[in-house]
Amino acid sequence: MTAETTELTRPEPAANATPVLEVRGLRKEFPGTLALDDVGLEVRKGEIHALLGENGAGKSTLIKCVCGAYAATSGEVRIEGRPVSFSTPREAVDAGIAVVHQHFNLVPTLNVAENLWLGEALPRRMGLVDWPRAHARAREILDYVGLDVPTDADVTALRADHLAMISIAKAVASDAKIIILDEPTTALLPHEVETLFAQMRRLAQEGHSFLYVSHRLAEVFEIADRATVLRDGRNAGTFERETMDRASVIEAIVGRRGELSGRKSGSHMRESVVIETAGLSGGGAEDVSLTLRHGEILGVAGLPGSGAEDVLSLLFGRIRRRAGTVRKGELELRLREPSEAIAAGIAYVPADRLAEAVFHAESIRSNITMPSLARYLRDPILRLVNRGAESRESRQVAQRMRVRMPGIEAAIDDLSGGNQQKVVLGRWLSTGAEVFLLNAPTAAVDVGAKAEIYELIEELAGEGAGILFASTELEEYPLICDRVLVFFRGRVAGELKGDAVTEQNIMTLAAGGELAHGDD
Amino acid sequence: MATTETGGAETAFDWFGFLARWGTLISLVLLIAFFSLARPEVFPTLRNTLNILNQVSILGIIALGLTVCLVVGLFDLSIGAMATFGGYFAARFLAELGMDSAWVVLGAVLAVLILAMLIGMINGALVSYLGISAIVETLAMSFVVTGVILGVSGARTVYSSDIPESFQIIGQGAILGIPNPILIMIATALVLWVFLEHTQPGRNMYAIGGNREAARLSGINFQKFALIAMAISAACAALGGLVAAANLASGRPQGVGETYLLNAFVAVFIGASTLRPGKFHVFGTAVGVLLIGVINNGLSVMGVATYWQYIVQGLILILALISASMNSVRRA
Ligand SMILES: Nc1ncnc2c1ncn2[C@@H]1O[C@H](COP(=O)(O)OP(=O)(O)OP(=O)(O)O)[C@@H](O)[C@H]1O
Ligand SMILES: [Mg+2]
């Protein structure tokens, strides 16, 4: 990483000058939840300020209170020393605050350029919208973050990382005084993160300030000048660059000492094969032959479009198979629909929580038990559900996943992002699945919960389940995988085992390179 | 943003959340209280209560069926035509058969309901397998159904002299002083409530409504449930129309269902902003239906012109929709 050298050329943000953004005594109550309690925060001019904390600590709520999306119960927000009180997000934009929310919303019926101009006055010529100029400006904004998609592309057809980059590009190019990014990198690829950071550093140098939320501590240490930590809706520490060491930051976040995510303790791999594919093709994957053993944690890695994720989709019957076979033990699986995969004992956690996993407006209970409702039936004909048993077991799952919630009957939409993720992971625990296909299972979860999810994955492997794992965070592969298959242009470009499973090796193979011999 | 520096008054009350949940129920209670005070000798009597329930029973049966469709996220605009269908064909079958026996009536009723379910399943199949928009498809289907009824009937009404007594009992009789249409509505509500809230298929329907792709990834088959939901909606609409025909002792080939179509949607959407904002549910629909009944009955008991009934009903719907959207804004 080039963080050190870039740091040296950056002027120190002035500590004594009036902060650009100051929050004092902020309090926000939801029915049954005190989300923020007497929270303070100070962002200086030209600084990149990280906002850290566990899932549900109140980070997103703080941001929404600052930008006028929520009305705070009490407290004060100052911009450049002046108290402000925005009643709509529009007023915040006008005051120079640009926000990319955790759940950024692009309008699916509009194209890229229209989304970029959303909320702005479009350029006009003789009273009509000057579309060529609107597209030209949109092009500029996208080039700014190095995003190579057509400005008239349909946003529904774009990759998740491109969607994220579009929202980010809009904020970063807005010339706002304060740019707030709530977990912007969750869906991004390593090179996109680098581009984003380069732009952030440049803008910070020009005097723009950033408030930046992330659960990826490595990124935080790379980019942030200072950090504020929230815990249970209260301040739990502020760090200057010099005092920001990993151990103390983690301690502030989780409230106890100790390194959390250690390397996995050892392999649980057994001899027997649970899934075997031969010549599997479909989506972007070509001719994939792999074996997954009981107790094995097998990583599939690769750039988007490399086919790695498509292997998970194929094994779950989510996308159509063009060729090849899938065997589970003696059985050849047809896998035309996800329901067939579930019946065969396969579980799948999709990458996009909101679009593909969460049942909106439904209770946490329902969200946990939906794929396994058949277990709670009182009778096979009327199919009445035994609510008592269902409640009991969903509570146990929520407890095991350590979901922070007002109660099991609360709507899932009211949980913080990371806690929603724990719920959608937890829903597969009670299905008795033998194979787990996990696509970015730790997306948006905090450091503590990440470690818990790694432990949980290991536990599942220990019980004999076979696990296929994909992630956008390359550092996760060495932490938990026994073996990694790296994809390039639809095919398996290489296999890494044991100590050879490193970020560097994965990156090399994913980019189509060759590993130097004697690397392992 | 409030900038209260005082430490007191810590428990801010969430008025939005409260009204989004309880607003429609509170309006119902307030309206009942108002009419009771205004016309104590007429409005709050047992007779008038049964009267109100009787007046809304057909609307209620139709709206309850529509609720199931909306739970899976599908609009059904064919319920008006299906109500006419149910009423006309039940009367016509029995007139053709010309036998006044309870078994024949039961057979005719079942036949009509099964036909309606088949039509609903065609709706469901076209919508789910071909991916046609439900609004457009059900609108088209209602033209087809209306056309078929007009063609078969030659626009002639089946009159009461041709309709057997035992059929008319469905709409005119009573058990223990409670009119049959009310009992049928209550039974429909109970069955659908148990179905939606307490059975696996019902719960799966809510999952589909909450997120169709997530439902698919949980092994829930949208096509199957679209078929079931639209069949239930069509059958309930036909049942409503059939009760209306029995009640009036006439099988009219036109002008029956249209009156219920809009009100059914109003009731269901009022319901979706009751107790569980953003969710369609049986209890909510029941509240919506009652609200409509109380407004219409109360205003006419007070001698207010009919157009006021429309205005008040419209205003309440707007309020309900505002409170529902407040809630989704708050969540976003
Ligand atoms: N609209 C809401 N209604 C009720 N409670 C809410 C709502 N939004 C958030 N909360 C609660 O407020 C608390 C803080 O949530 P918030 O989303 O700010 O957490 P966060 O720090 O952003 O977490 P994450 O890292 O998981 O995104 C949580 O306990 C959450 O359940
Ligand atoms: Mg958040």
Side-chain angles (χ1 to χ4, degrees):
Chain A
M1 306 279 157
T2 52
E4 296 313 312
T5 45
T6 336
E7 271 318 308
L8 292 178
T9 60
R10 286 259 299 278
E12 274 297 302
N16 42 7
T18 320
V20 181
L21 170 69
E22 196 181 2
V23 172
R24 270 200 248 152
L26 197 67
R27 181 181 179 88
K28 174 68 185 172
E29 290 166 10
F30 291 111
T33 316
L34 179 55
L36 296 173
D37 183 9
D38 193 21
V39 167
L41 171 79
E42 204 185 280
V43 179
R44 298 169 189 159
K45 189 171 163 61
E47 133 177 299
I48 297 176
H49 193 105
L51 180 60
L52 308 175
E54 292 188 318
N55 295 130
K59 305 178 296 294
S60 300
T61 305
L62 171 67
I63 288 169
K64 287 179 185 168
C65 287
V66 167
C67 74
Y70 287 159
T73 309
S74 65
E76 198 178 34
V77 177
R78 287 169 185 267
I79 305 280
E80 293 177 327
R82 279 191 313 278
V84 292
S85 144
F86 306 121
S87 43
T88 62
R90 182 74 238 169
E91 292 172 27
V93 174
D94 293 338
I97 302 180
V99 188
V100 176
H101 286 291
Q102 185 170 8
H103 309 137
F104 39 81
N105 284 326
L106 296 177
V107 180
T109 48
L110 300 181
N111 67 26
V112 172
E114 288 163 338
N115 266 293
L116 282 171
W117 279 99
L118 203 64
E120 314 280 325
L122 281 158
R124 276 166 195 281
R125 219 166 62 108
M126 301 191 308
L128 297 176
V129 173
D130 184 354
W131 282 114
R133 207 139 65 85
H135 277 277
R137 172 69 185 138
R139 183 76 265 152
E140 268 173 49
I141 296 175
L142 295 181
D143 287 345
Y144 200 68
V145 293
L147 191 57
D148 182 25
V149 298
T151 55
D152 58 0
D154 207 354
V155 295
T156 46
L158 294 180
R159 270 171 19 203
D161 58 307
H162 288 164
L163 294 179
M165 276 312 248
I166 291 170
S167 307
I168 293 166
K170 189 176 173 183
V172 173
S174 69
D175 204 38
K177 280 192 273 257
I178 305 162
I179 300 167
I180 303 181
L181 304 170
D182 195 350
E183 300 192 39
T185 56
T186 311
L188 297 191
L189 304 171
H191 73 271
E192 289 164 331
V193 174
E194 281 312 310
T195 318
L196 170 64
F197 284 3
Q199 289 296 357
M200 284 173 68
R201 289 196 188 99
R202 197 180 58 71
L203 286 166
Q205 212 153 16
E206 289 171 10
H208 298 265
S209 308
F210 285 88
L211 185 61
Y212 174 83
V213 177
S214 180
H215 290 297
R216 301 182 177 180
L217 290 183
E219 285 178 2
V220 171
F221 291 116
E222 187 188 335
I223 189 91
D225 300 308
R226 297 197 313 140
T228 295
V229 179
L230 298 184
R231 190 166 69 236
D232 294 334
R234 300 213 181 95
N235 283 92
T238 303
F239 295 86
E240 303 290 328
R241 175 132 207 120
E242 307 80 61
T243 58
M244 223 194 286
D245 68 282
R246 198 178 158 84
S248 351
V249 170
I250 290 182
E251 186 184 346
I253 292 174
V254 302
R256 63 195 138 85
R257 261 207 103 68
E259 184 67 20
L260 286 157
S261 42
R263 206 185 159 83
K264 81 195 275 286
S265 46
S267 180
H268 301 282
M269 196 157 95
R270 304 175 190 177
E271 275 304 300
S272 54
V273 172
V274 57
I275 284 269
E276 189 169 9
T277 75
L280 188 61
S281 300
E286 287 300 333
D287 191 21
V288 178
S289 300
L290 60 80
T291 42
L292 176 68
R293 291 171 195 284
H294 282 284
E296 182 179 27
I297 305 176
L298 173 61
V300 287
L303 302 173
S306 66
E309 289 180 286
D310 291 342
V311 172
L312 304 192
S313 302
L314 281 167
L315 288 177
F316 198 60
R318 204 186 158 179
I319 56 175
R320 278 243 339 271
R321 173 170 38 142
R322 281 194 305 273
T325 54
V326 179
R327 304 185 136 274
K328 180 162 177 279
E330 294 301 294
L331 224 63
E332 187 168 333
L333 303 181
R334 294 202 289 181
L335 301 176
R336 288 165 309 186
E337 266 297 307
S339 51
E340 293 180 348
I342 294 168
I346 301 176
Y348 172 76
V349 175
D352 190 337
R353 178 180 67 247
L354 288 177
E356 304 172 329
V358 161
F359 297 114
H360 299 284
E362 290 289 302
S363 63
I364 298 166
R365 166 179 54 78
S366 247
N367 266 280
I368 288 176
T369 54
M370 199 49 77
S372 50
L373 268 186
R375 288 168 36 118
Y376 310 110
L377 295 190
R378 288 181 192 276
D379 67 294
I381 295 152
L382 291 177
R383 306 184 85 70
L384 285 168
V385 176
N386 180 343
R387 179 64 67 87
E390 189 200 345
S391 289
R392 226 175 10 259
E393 292 205 21
S394 56
R395 258 196 211 99
Q396 277 166 11
V397 169
Q399 235 157 40
R400 180 163 172 202
M401 300 303 299
R402 286 185 226 176
V403 178
R404 282 177 53 128
M405 56 182 186
I408 198 83
E409 293 302 323
I412 186 147
D413 310 74
D414 290 348
L415 292 186
S416 77
N419 281 301
Q420 291 179 5
Q421 181 66 20
K422 294 185 203 169
V423 167
V424 303
L425 256 172
R427 76 163 59 131
W428 295 104
L429 291 183
S430 48
T431 56
E434 264 186 287
V435 177
F436 286 81
L437 312 169
L438 308 176
N439 196 355
T442 65
V445 305
D446 63 50
V447 267
K450 258 185 193 154
E452 283 162 18
I453 290 174
Y454 298 152
E455 268 169 40
L456 184 87
I457 294 174
E458 267 206 64
E459 220 174 290
L460 292 169
E463 289 162 13
I467 287 152
L468 221 55
F469 172 90
S471 173
T472 49
E473 285 173 82
L474 295 186
E475 72 219 45
E476 292 197 317
Y477 289 99
L479 280 177
I480 64 166
C481 291
D482 297 309
R483 191 158 64 97
V484 175
L485 299 177
V486 187
F487 284 71
F488 178 66
R489 297 209 176 131
R491 292 169 192 276
V492 178
E495 177 180 338
L496 301 167
K497 267 188 205 158
D499 288 340
V501 180
T502 62
E503 270 183 76
Q504 191 54 52
N505 283 350
I506 294 174
M507 239 158 2
T508 309
L509 287 173
E514 298 269 333
L515 290 188
H517 281 291
D519 228 16
D520 45 340
Chain B
M1 194 163 307
T3 46
T4 20
E5 303 290 23
T6 48
E10 293 291 13
T11 43
F13 189 72
D14 178 19
W15 280 105
F16 274 163
F18 180 78
L19 283 180
R21 269 159 213 285
W22 297 96
T24 49
L25 271 172
I26 292 173
S27 350
L28 181 61
V29 170
L30 288 180
L31 280 168
I32 290 175
F34 173 76
F35 291 130
S36 303
L37 290 175
R39 294 298 305 275
E41 74 290 2
V42 186
F43 188 83
T45 59
L46 178 64
R47 214 176 123 216
N48 194 43
T49 306
L50 288 179
N51 189 15
I52 293 176
L53 289 173
N54 206 8
Q55 279 168 355
V56 296
S57 57
I58 292 155
L59 171 65
I61 295 165
I62 297 173
L64 286 163
L66 178 64
T67 310
V68 179
C69 241
L70 286 169
V71 163
V72 293
L74 297 174
F75 276 69
D76 187 350
L77 295 181
S78 68
I79 49 175
M82 289 312 295
T84 311
F85 174 93
Y88 178 77
F89 278 101
R92 178 72 189 268
F93 282 168
L94 290 164
E96 294 290 329
L97 288 168
M99 282 184 286
D100 191 353
S101 122
W103 291 108
V104 172
V105 168
L106 186 69
V109 168
L110 285 180
V112 165
L113 293 184
I114 288 170
L115 269 180
M117 281 187 162
L118 287 177
I119 295 174
M121 285 161 94
I122 295 174
N123 285 335
L126 289 174
V127 164
S128 68
Y129 286 99
L130 300 185
I132 307 174
S133 136
I135 296 185
V136 177
E137 193 280 330
T138 54
L139 195 60
M141 183 58 89
S142 70
F143 281 117
V144 174
V145 171
T146 305
V148 168
I149 301 169
L150 285 176
V152 170
S153 66
R156 279 186 301 276
T157 301
V158 182
Y159 289 107
S160 62
S161 50
D162 294 331
I163 300 175
E165 279 292 318
S166 27
F167 178 69
Q168 297 184 24
I169 289 176
I170 296 176
Q172 298 166 8
I175 297 174
L176 298 174
I178 303 174
N180 287 343
I182 300 180
L183 296 174
I184 295 173
M185 171 177 69
I186 292 174
T188 309
L190 281 177
V191 168
L192 290 183
W193 178 75
V194 170
F195 173 74
L196 283 176
E197 306 285 330
H198 292 284
T199 72
Q200 187 186 18
R203 298 277 304 277
N204 287 346
M205 285 187 178
Y206 273 117
I208 291 171
N211 187 337
R212 196 183 289 177
E213 184 60 14
R216 175 171 172 246
L217 296 180
S218 294
I220 299 166
N221 182 335
F222 169 65
Q223 278 92 354
K224 176 172 113 189
F225 288 106
L227 248 65
I228 298 177
M230 302 217 76
I232 292 177
S233 175
C236 286
L239 179 64
L242 183 154
V243 173
N247 189 288
L248 301 169
S250 81
R252 279 159 47 200
Q254 53 197 338
V256 181
E258 293 79 356
T259 43
Y260 298 111
L261 175 62
L262 269 181
N263 271 342
F265 272 92
V266 171
V268 176
F269 275 87
I270 288 176
S273 55
T274 302
L275 289 186
R276 293 193 266 169
K279 261 182 92 162
F280 298 98
H281 55 126
V282 167
F283 180 75
T285 299
V287 171
V289 167
L290 275 182
L291 204 55
I292 291 176
V294 166
I295 292 169
N296 290 349
N297 176 279
L299 291 180
S300 67
V301 162
M302 303 226 349
V304 176
T306 321
Y307 61 83
W308 272 110
Q309 300 177 11
Y310 289 111
I311 294 174
V312 173
Q313 208 172 300
L315 288 178
I316 297 238
L317 177 66
I318 291 171
L319 282 180
L321 293 181
I322 289 175
S323 79
S325 69
M326 283 290 182
N327 211 61
S328 53
V329 167
R330 210 173 55 102
R331 272 202 176 130

